Amino acid sequence: MTMTRWALVLAGLTGATVAQANVPARPPAVIGRWANPRNTLAVQTGRCADGTLCGRIVWASPQARAEARNAGLPDLVGTQLLRGYHRNRAGIWVGRVFVPDMRRTFSSRIRQETPATLTISGCVVAGLLCKSQVWHRVA
């Protein structure tokens, strides 16, 4: 093989590597818009400033807004519900969840069951008492 042909082969391989390196990494599947089981809240998940996973309330029903106001939270929309989650292992995220009507934050785990569902658990007493909800993806 001539030097020119080798140079073309190497240039082609290098170009393919650079092109692959420039392809943005797919965001984790947990990023998106999710609704709680009663469809009274919608949360948009995404990256926090520190690179962890967070989620803010982007929509709330009138009933959910009233319950939050009664608990002393003036505006539910914009509240960061999911805080500082990091991937523990494939499909498991560990962080903290804020419960607006209790005005408390609990240790939490998110497991993506299917592309369209998340199970979000909040725990008290060192993880001994936990409550889970299955949230669904919103288009």
Side-chain angles (χ1 to χ4, degrees):
M1 202 178 268
T2 66
M3 277 303 236
T4 306
R5 190 173 280 173
W6 272 111
L8 290 173
V9 169
L10 287 174
L13 290 175
T14 304
T17 303
V18 170
Q20 288 175 355
N22 290 333
V23 173
R26 251 185 27 205
V30 296
I31 292 179
R33 187 168 288 201
W34 302 90
N36 68 347
R38 295 183 343 190
N39 289 316
T40 57
L41 293 176
V43 172
Q44 179 68 45
T45 59
R47 295 277 185 208
C48 303
D50 64 1
T52 60
L53 180 73
C54 292
R56 288 197 182 281
I57 298 173
V58 294
W59 177 84
S61 71
Q63 177 188 356
R65 288 175 183 240
E67 289 172 3
R69 273 193 304 278
N70 290 339
L73 190 64
D75 193 7
L76 192 56
V77 174
T79 301
Q80 189 173 345
L81 195 71
L82 307 174
R83 303 172 178 185
Y85 286 81
H86 60 277
R87 187 184 297 267
N88 186 344
R89 59 181 190 248
I92 305 290
W93 295 78
V94 178
R96 308 215 22 101
V97 62
F98 176 68
V99 180
D101 56 349
M102 296 176 74
R103 296 199 56 152
R104 294 190 53 203
T105 304
F106 299 98
S107 62
S108 175
R109 186 177 78 171
I110 297 173
R111 176 189 296 272
Q112 186 160 22
E113 303 295 339
T114 71
T117 60
L118 297 177
T119 298
I120 302 176
S121 303
C123 301
V124 297
V125 191
L128 297 177
L129 300 171
C130 299
K131 182 176 178 179
S132 297
Q133 292 184 338
V134 177
W135 288 49
H136 63 275
R137 190 179 294 276
V138 178

